[in-house]
């Protein structure tokens, strides 16, 4: 890895903290860090890299065929249809060069003015469904950035789209030109900005190889500490990338080990909610809203603003809540101490990447179970429920008795083979069936013949840790935590989904003591009580219900 010792004085808007090149000791620390990252299987093989290239090439050809078909359907001349083009761009971790083995590829489909978004979610969706290489195909049309999700030859793809005001989309199209945004709706601008932001980040760091290695380490740390999830109110991939890029800018000649060890102290001591910006915000050709807390009250409410560097600049962290901000700051502070010990040689890199103790940290949890009777339905239903969980967190935070509301970053997907309605009820309420409950990502031990004797129920279980505020003064009456209003509002919101089917989907909520968590989550250290597999006569929590 090479290091730039140029005389440039400043990258971005912040003067450098140090222009010093790496010492031999820091280089050795970087070598040790790279070895550890390889142990975590963060680097794909050359064979997998080639498979990704082949898949992206097939997708690009499919996009051109898709655009051609739409043009013909609209009665355009054959010559126009052939010249209309179409192109895919990658963004996110793949474009940044920090994707790990098995990671998804964020992919943007760009098409000319003749093609509309509805075509993408109908014709393109159908074209994908006809491909034998495509599995786990689903779409989320009403998302903030509408997306088709799929696996193509086993490689996960998040596929978004944007219509340009052009008659044709050539293969040499450069998305950095802000004039391409003229005449587009907000959803198209958001889709395009995924690629534009990624490319701009790479242009704004002093050394791309140093940035990439440091970002790999920070992403691994964030995932290990269960704070890597935009949808749950933590930070997503682009936000973590911008934070690392910021540290690279203020240590422009440093090696990856130096960037990583300084990262946590800088982010812990940052004067939030002052924003993280990588360059001065620029004006552009559109009458669109850019992030500006002086003009927009909603922008002023952002707790940890990290601002995208491509026009129009937006806040990538508007989902952060009071609780998730506190959790991340605590992690920054805790890890800054470890990083300092690594620098002086009394700790090792392995100490940085310890797993989160989420399932041991709280005495009380909320367990939310979304369930349905098919894997295809469950993909959509659990995704909808997951997208609404942040609203539940915000409502729970209004309760003065709750000091912290901590959502776990992902749901746990399982399939249960039920023999009667009682077992369906039990599993939909978070219970397991002995020898007939399996994690979806594992091979179950039942034969196909055995499976025919049961009805499968697919569940996705989400957890929220609750930290009760300590008693500050003597109370005349016992304190009572009332979770009925926020949980009932959440259930109502989930069931208001226009694709919700009463007899095929359910959602339940119940409050659990930490000792009642499934043993595979909490481990043997908890004094576990066995979950009852029979239907309880009295529900443990009056907001628990199923339709």
């Amino acid at each position: 890895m090479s290091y730039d010792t140029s005389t440039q004085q400043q990258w971005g808007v912040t003067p450098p903290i140090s222009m010093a090149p790496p010492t031999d000791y820091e280089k050795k620390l970087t070598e040790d860090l790279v070895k550890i990252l390889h142990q975590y299987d963060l680097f794909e093989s050359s064979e997998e890299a080639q498979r990704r290239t082949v898949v992206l090439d097939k997708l690009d050809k499919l996009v051109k065929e898709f655009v051609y078909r739409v043009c013909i359907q609209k009665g355009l001349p054959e010559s126009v249809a052939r010249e209309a083009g179409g192109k895919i761009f990658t963004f996110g971790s793949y474009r940044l060069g920090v994707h790990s083995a098995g990671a998804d590829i964020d992919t943007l489909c760009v098409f000319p003015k003749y093609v509309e978004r509805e075509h993408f979610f109908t014709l393109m969706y159908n074209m994908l469904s006809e491909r034998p290489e495509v599995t786990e195909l689903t779409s989320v049309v009403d998302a903030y950035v509408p997306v088709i999700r799929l696996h193509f030859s086993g490689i996960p793809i998040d596929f978004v789209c944007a219509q340009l005001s052009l008659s044709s989309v050539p293969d040499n199209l450069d998305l950095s030109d802000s004039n391409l945004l003229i005449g587009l709706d907000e959803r198209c601008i958001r889709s395009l900005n995924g690629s534009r932001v990624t490319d701009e980040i790479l242009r704004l760091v002093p050394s791309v190889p140093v940035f990439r290695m440091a970002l790999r380490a920070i992403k691994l740390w964030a995932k290990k500490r269960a704070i890597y999830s935009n949808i749950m109110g933590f930070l997503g991939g682009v936000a973590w990338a911008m934070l690392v890029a910021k540290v690279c800018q203020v240590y422009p000649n440093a090696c990856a080990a130096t960037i990583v060890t300084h990262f946590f102290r800088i982010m812990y001591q940052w004067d939030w909610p002052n924003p993280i910006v990588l360059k001065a915000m620029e004006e552009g050709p559109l009458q669109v809203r850019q992030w500006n807390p002086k003009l927009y009250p909603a922008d002023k409410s952002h707790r940890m603003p990290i601002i995208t560097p491509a026009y129009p600049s937006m806040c990538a962290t508007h989902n952060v809540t009071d609780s998730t901000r506190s959790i991340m700051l605590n992690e920054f502070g805790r890890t800054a101490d470890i990083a300092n010990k690594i620098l002086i040689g009394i700790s090792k890199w392995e100490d940085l990447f310890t797993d989160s103790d989420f399932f041991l940290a709280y005495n009380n949890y909320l367990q939310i179970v979304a369930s349905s009777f098919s894997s295809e339905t469950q993909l959509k239903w659990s995704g909808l429920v997951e997208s609404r969980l942040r609203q539940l967190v915000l409502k729970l935070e209004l309760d003065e008795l709750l000091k912290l509301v901590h959502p776990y970053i992902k749901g746990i997907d399982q399939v249960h083979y039920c023999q009667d309605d009682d077992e369906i009820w039990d599993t939909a309420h978070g219970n397991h069936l002995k020898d007939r409950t399996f994690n979806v990502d594992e091979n179950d031990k039942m034969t196909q013949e055995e499976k025919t004797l049961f009805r499968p129920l697919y569940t996705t279980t989400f957890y929220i840790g609750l930290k009760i505020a300590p008693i500050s003064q003597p109370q005349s009456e016992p304190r009572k935590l009332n979770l009925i209003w926020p949980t009932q509002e959440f259930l109502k919101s989930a069931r208001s989904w226009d694709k919700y089917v009463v007899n095929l989907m359910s959602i339940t909520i119940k409050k659990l003591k930490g000792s009642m968590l499934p043993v595979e989550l909490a481990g043997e250290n908890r004094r576990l009580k066995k979950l009852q597999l029979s239907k309880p006569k009295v529900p443990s929590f009056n907001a628990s219900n199923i339709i």
Side-chain angles (χ1 to χ4, degrees):
M1 191 178 297
S2 61
Y3 303 98
D4 180 12
T5 56
S6 66
T7 58
Q8 173 157 350
Q9 294 301 302
Q10 183 167 324
W11 291 78
V13 298
T14 307
I17 295 173
S18 171
M19 296 288 293
T23 64
D24 289 342
Y25 177 69
E26 290 168 335
K27 291 179 182 179
K28 176 62 169 60
L29 276 180
T30 297
E31 292 172 4
D32 294 341
L33 175 61
V34 173
K35 290 177 183 176
I36 292 297
L37 297 181
H38 274 282
Q39 290 177 16
Y40 282 101
D41 197 26
L42 294 188
F43 301 87
E44 67 181 356
S45 66
S46 56
E47 291 80 8
E48 184 175 355
Q50 180 59 31
R51 278 205 306 132
R52 289 176 183 271
T53 301
V54 170
V55 164
L56 290 172
D57 185 57
K58 288 182 178 180
L59 269 182
D60 194 63
K61 291 176 180 174
L62 193 64
V63 164
K64 290 175 171 59
E65 175 64 21
F66 157 68
V67 171
Y68 171 78
R69 289 193 193 182
V70 173
C71 291
I72 293 299
Q73 285 180 6
K74 287 193 164 186
L76 295 172
E78 172 80 15
S79 59
V80 174
R82 286 296 178 196
E83 291 295 321
K87 180 175 170 58
I88 65 167
F89 296 85
T90 59
F91 59 102
S93 63
Y94 183 81
R95 177 69 184 92
L96 287 171
V98 296
H99 61 288
S100 56
D104 62 4
I105 305 178
D106 293 312
T107 310
L108 166 67
C109 168
V110 175
F111 40 72
K113 62 184 181 181
Y114 312 117
V115 183
E116 299 168 16
R117 181 180 294 105
E118 289 71 22
H119 293 126
F120 183 75
F121 286 97
T122 52
L123 178 58
M124 173 56 85
Y125 186 93
N126 292 336
M127 290 173 67
L128 288 166
S129 69
E130 293 167 359
R131 299 286 298 234
E133 311 100 315
V134 172
T135 59
E136 299 187 39
L137 179 66
T138 185
S139 65
V140 188
V141 181
D142 54 356
Y144 185 70
V145 178
V147 60
I148 293 176
R149 294 192 172 99
L150 65 142
H151 283 61
F152 199 116
S153 297
I155 294 174
I157 305 284
D158 277 7
F159 209 13
V160 302
C161 69
Q163 177 197 51
L164 298 183
S165 302
L166 301 175
S167 300
S168 67
V169 175
D171 283 336
N172 62 353
L173 180 69
D174 181 0
L175 295 181
S176 64
D177 182 3
S178 294
N179 289 312
L180 289 173
L181 305 179
I182 296 174
L184 307 189
D185 68 24
E186 287 193 6
R187 287 175 296 182
C188 284
I189 292 173
R190 287 196 291 266
S191 294
L192 286 168
N193 260 13
S195 180
R196 285 163 51 81
V197 166
T198 302
D199 288 350
E200 195 66 15
I201 291 171
L202 292 174
R203 282 192 283 266
L204 289 169
V205 294
S207 168
V208 170
V210 169
F211 163 75
R212 284 174 169 165
M213 196 59 65
L215 181 54
R216 282 186 183 276
I218 296 301
K219 285 182 63 174
L220 173 63
W221 169 81
K223 290 175 181 179
K224 284 284 188 180
R225 301 308 300 169
I227 54 173
Y228 189 102
S229 174
N230 176 59
I231 198 169
M232 290 298 188
F234 296 102
L235 306 189
V238 70
W240 288 114
M242 288 189 286
L243 290 187
V244 173
K246 185 67 176 180
V247 180
C248 288
Q249 288 183 335
V250 296
Y251 288 94
N253 297 319
C255 59
T258 305
I259 299 299
V260 172
T261 51
H262 288 319
F263 174 89
F264 304 102
R265 174 181 53 81
I266 289 174
M267 295 308 152
Y268 180 67
Q269 295 178 348
W270 192 265
D271 188 20
W272 305 104
N274 281 341
I276 294 281
V277 293
L278 298 181
K279 70 174 191 179
M281 284 194 286
E282 59 190 46
E283 297 300 318
L286 306 179
Q287 294 296 317
V288 296
R289 169 176 168 169
Q290 293 204 83
W291 187 82
N292 189 335
K294 294 179 180 179
L295 288 180
Y296 307 112
D299 292 351
K300 192 174 183 179
S301 71
H302 293 159
R303 299 161 179 86
M304 292 181 72
I306 303 171
I307 310 305
T308 57
Y311 173 85
S313 294
M314 303 174 186
C315 179
T317 49
H318 59 274
N319 279 351
V320 173
T321 72
D322 288 334
S323 290
T324 55
R325 176 185 179 275
S326 296
I327 292 161
M328 286 187 283
L329 287 178
N330 180 66
E331 286 292 342
F332 290 148
R334 183 195 71 87
T335 313
D337 291 337
I338 298 172
N340 186 59
K341 292 177 181 177
I342 292 172
L343 264 181
I344 61 178
I346 62 175
S347 287
K348 298 180 180 180
W349 285 117
E350 291 92 328
D351 300 327
L352 204 70
F353 303 118
T354 56
D355 289 326
S356 165
D357 64 348
F358 173 83
F359 292 105
L360 298 172
Y362 301 99
N363 292 325
N364 297 280
Y365 294 83
L366 282 185
Q367 181 192 66
I368 301 99
V369 183
S371 60
S372 66
F373 290 105
S374 78
S375 57
E376 294 79 10
T377 300
Q378 187 64 13
L379 272 174
K380 298 176 181 179
W381 174 227
S382 64
L384 181 281
V385 171
E386 181 181 45
S387 71
R388 304 284 168 90
L389 279 173
R390 179 177 163 273
Q391 296 304 315
L392 172 59
V393 170
L394 289 170
K395 288 181 173 63
L396 290 167
E397 286 181 342
L398 296 175
D399 193 313
E400 61 183 15
L401 291 185
L402 287 176
K403 183 177 181 181
L404 202 67
V405 183
H406 186 168
Y408 191 57
I409 58 173
K410 60 183 178 181
I412 297 161
D413 296 312
Q414 294 179 310
V415 58
H416 317 262
Y417 293 97
C418 307
Q419 62 183 1
D420 54 35
D421 288 345
D422 283 345
E423 288 191 347
I424 290 173
W425 194 96
D426 284 338
T427 52
H429 282 74
N431 298 326
H432 292 176
L433 303 174
K434 182 176 174 57
D435 299 326
R436 286 185 279 122
T437 289
F438 306 97
N439 288 341
V440 168
D441 59 358
E442 298 174 352
N443 292 326
D444 59 55
K445 300 177 179 65
M446 295 183 67
T447 66
Q448 288 301 121
E449 184 177 355
E450 288 175 326
K451 290 178 183 179
T452 61
L453 303 175
F454 303 96
R455 187 175 187 186
L457 183 75
Y458 294 85
T459 63
T460 304
T461 307
F462 303 95
Y463 290 92
I464 298 175
L466 304 175
K467 186 174 184 179
I468 311 298
I471 298 175
S472 57
Q473 54 187 8
Q475 303 286 318
S476 57
E477 296 181 0
R479 298 187 303 171
K480 187 175 182 180
L481 182 63
N482 189 345
L483 304 180
I484 295 177
W485 174 75
T487 53
Q488 292 290 2
E489 286 296 303
F490 169 73
L491 293 172
K492 186 189 304 180
S493 171
R495 292 173 182 145
S496 67
W497 186 39
D498 60 359
K499 296 182 178 63
Y500 177 73
V501 180
V502 172
N503 296 326
L504 298 180
M505 307 171 191
S506 78
I507 180 167
T508 68
I509 304 181
K510 66 180 177 184
K511 180 173 170 287
L512 288 178
K513 288 290 186 182
S515 59
M516 295 293 288
L517 288 170
V519 65
E520 64 270 17
L521 298 179
E524 296 294 344
N525 291 333
R526 284 276 196 190
R527 293 190 301 274
L528 291 165
K529 300 175 182 178
K530 291 184 179 178
L531 294 173
Q532 298 298 314
L533 295 181
S534 58
K535 181 177 178 180
K537 294 180 181 179
V538 180
S540 59
F541 180 49
N542 56 10
S544 297
N545 54 68
I546 180 172
I547 289 184

